Amino acid sequence: MESQAKDWLPVVNPATNELISQVPETTHAEKLAAVYSAKKAFKEWKDVPVLKRVNMLFELREAIVKNSDKLTESIIAEIGKTQADAKGDVQRGLEVVEYATGVASHMMGETVENVSTNIDIYSVRQPLGVVSGICPFNFPAMIPLWMFPLAVACGNTMVLKPSEKDPGAAMVLMDLVKDIFPPGVVNVIHGSHDCVDFICDDKDIKAISFVGGNTAGEYIHARGTATGKRVQSNMGAKNHATILPDASKERTLDAIVGAAFGASGQRCMALPAAVFVGQAQEWIPELVEKAKNLKVGPGSDGSSEIGPLITCQSKERVEMLIQSAVDEGADVILDGRNPTLPDGYNGGNFVGPTIIDNVEVGHKCYQEEIFGPVLNILRVDTLDEAIELINSNQYGNGTALFTQSGSAARKYQRNIEAGQLGINVPIPVPLPFFSFTGNKKSFVGATNFYGKEGVKFYTNIKTVTTQWWEDDISSGVQTSFPTMNK
C-alpha cells in the first residue's frame, strides 16, 4: 500500500548526516488497515498445516541468504555499521529463521493416557492471533527476524513496526515476505510515538514484542498489559566483564576491546564495564594500547572497525557522559572525542574508543546505559567484591568472567544475578535453540525471546480432557467435584 501520510520522518546516513530517504508517519486509517489485514489473514493462516508454514520459512531462509548483500548495504547506509558487523546482524537473525523451521516439534504438546477409566488428558499449543513487534534501531535485520518468523511459524499474523531511524533492512525483508507468504500474514506500519500507542491500544492485537530502552519498554509493558495484551520487553543493560589475574591475558584483552567498542557500543550485550580484580589491574595500559589501534570510520570502508553513532543526539549524549566522568573525578585514559577521520566524514556522528579508569558506582557514566564506544573500568581486590558490585547494579542482561579457574567460574556462575553469562566469552548471546534470558531491569514481560520461551510467548496452551464409552449405561448423576480416582 502506498502511504497517504502527510508527515514524513528523515532517514540519514550517520557517517555524513546526509538525507538518504524518508519514512512515513503511517496514518490512523493505514494502521487500522494493517491490523484488519492481519486479522483477516489469521482466519485462514491458523489452519494452514504446520509443514506448509515450515516450507515457507525454508523459502524465506533461502531468500535472505540470496539477498544478504542487499540487507548488509542497507544496514551500513542507515546505521553506519562496519561491513563485518552488518553481515553479523543478518546472520544472527537468519539463525532464528532456521530455528523456526523446526516449529512442528517445538509446539508439540503432552499426553497422559487413561488418567482415570476411559479418560485421557492432552495439551496443545495454539496461536494467539494478531501479534506485533516494535523494533529498535541497533539491529535492523536481526530484531525483526527475532519476531515475525517465529510468530508466523506458530500460526499468528504480525504487524511489525521497524525503527523509524533505519527501516530499510526491514523493508528488504518485507519484499521477500510478500513473494512467499499469503497477503496479510506480515504487515508493516511506520512511525514513532503515535504508532507505539496505537499498537498498545488496539483491541485486536494480542501480544507485543519490544526491544529497546527502559523508558519505552516499561511504558509499552504498562500500557500494553493494561489492555490485556501479552508483552515482552527486552530493555537496557550495563554488562560487566570480570577479569581475574589467572586469565589468558592477550585473549582476554582482545575480547574486551572487541566487545566494548564493536558496533560503536550500540548493543545491549556490549561490555561497557570491566571489573579488574587484583593484579589484573596491571594489564590496563595494554588494554588502552589495543583500543588505540582501532580504526574509526564509515562502514562503507572495509577497513573501518568503529562506525558512527546513530544520531547527532546520541553523539552529544555520549560526549556529555564522558565529560561527566571527568567532572566527577574519574580518569579518561583514552579519549575518543574528536577522532581522526577520513576526508569527507567530519560531519558524521563519530566517537572513538574511550576508556574511563577509576570509575565509582555513583558516577553518572556508570549508572546510565551509555550506548556508545565507552568502557568504564572499576577496580576491586577479590572475586567476591566483583560479584557484589555487579549484583548491586539494576540491570541483569549479561556478564562475562575471564579466568582459567574452574572453581572461580563455578562460583561466579552460581552467585551472579545476570541472566546470561559467558565464561571467557565476551558477548554470550544464546543461539536460538536456547532463549535470550536477560533479567532484573533488563527485561519485563511474560516470557523471553526466541527458543522455547519464544514459542510459549506466541502461543496459548490448551488442555483437553476426553472420555469415551463403549456402552450407554447410566452411572448416576454426580454433583460432587470430579476426582478421577477410579
Side-chain angles (χ1 to χ4, degrees), residues 140-415:
M142 184 183 79
I143 300 300
L145 291 172
W146 274 19
M147 295 176 179
F148 79 83
L150 193 56
V152 301
C154 291
N156 303 284
T157 55
M158 167 70 78
V159 176
L160 185 75
K161 193 200 89 65
S163 170
E164 66 276 14
K165 294 183 177 69
D166 52 2
M171 296 313 295
V172 172
L173 292 171
M174 292 307 103
D175 282 341
L176 306 180
V177 163
K178 69 181 176 59
D179 294 331
I180 298 170
F181 294 90
V185 172
V186 185
N187 309 269
V188 175
I189 57 177
H190 295 288
S192 51
H193 303 296
D194 288 347
C195 212
V196 169
D197 286 347
F198 172 83
I199 290 170
C200 290
D201 296 344
D202 187 89
K203 63 182 177 58
D204 290 319
I205 294 175
K206 306 302 182 185
I208 304 171
S209 297
F210 168 80
V211 177
N214 279 66
T215 300
E218 291 168 3
Y219 173 83
I220 289 166
H221 182 264
R223 187 158 179 158
T225 55
T227 58
K229 291 175 175 57
R230 186 178 295 181
V231 181
Q232 54 179 191
S233 286
N234 216 53
M235 303 183 295
K238 195 74 172 186
N239 300 339
H240 296 69
T242 298
I243 301 95
L244 297 186
D246 70 338
S248 300
K249 183 174 71 172
E250 293 301 324
R251 290 183 182 274
T252 297
L253 296 180
D254 287 345
I256 293 170
V257 169
F261 305 121
S264 300
Q266 297 177 121
R267 52 190 176 198
C268 66
M269 287 298 285
L271 277 179
V275 184
F276 283 82
V277 180
Q279 292 181 340
Q281 297 166 20
E282 298 172 4
W283 304 351
I284 293 172
E286 295 173 69
L287 178 76
V288 172
E289 290 305 311
K290 287 180 180 288
K292 277 183 182 178
N293 293 326
L294 294 176
K295 181 179 178 181
V296 180
S300 55
D301 181 346
S303 64
S304 294
E305 295 169 291
I306 305 294
L309 297 169
I310 185 66
T311 64
C312 296
Q313 293 79 13
S314 296
K315 177 187 175 185
E316 291 170 0
R317 179 178 177 276
V318 168
E319 291 179 338
M320 176 273 292
L321 287 169
I322 295 170
Q323 185 58 44
S324 76
V326 176
D327 296 342
E328 292 181 315
D331 300 314
V332 178
I333 56 177
L334 179 63
D335 195 338
R337 292 173 289 184
N338 302 312
T340 301
L341 297 168
D343 290 342
Y345 292 97
N346 287 325
N349 308 322
F350 293 95
V351 175
T354 299
I355 299 177
I356 306 173
D357 196 5
N358 296 310
V359 172
E360 297 179 4
V361 295
H363 288 169
K364 187 179 181 71
C365 65
Y366 178 78
Q367 288 294 322
E368 295 193 16
E369 183 180 27
I370 297 178
F371 231 58
V374 179
L375 176 64
N376 294 323
I377 291 180
L378 300 99
R379 299 170 180 243
V380 298
D381 294 326
T382 67
L383 177 60
D384 287 333
E385 289 179 69
I387 292 171
E388 183 179 0
L389 184 154
I390 295 167
N391 284 346
S392 68
N393 192 270
Q394 63 181 329
Y395 296 110
N397 217 27
T399 184
L401 173 69
F402 292 90
T403 184
Q404 295 187 66
S405 167
S407 61
R410 188 172 188 276
K411 181 177 186 177
Y412 197 81
Q413 176 262 313
R414 286 184 57 81
N415 290 283

Side-chain angles (χ1 to χ4, degrees), residues 420-436:
Q420 296 167 117
L421 167 62
I423 305 296
N424 299 316
V425 175
I427 305 177
V429 176
L431 288 167
F433 36 84
F434 288 90
S435 297
F436 194 95

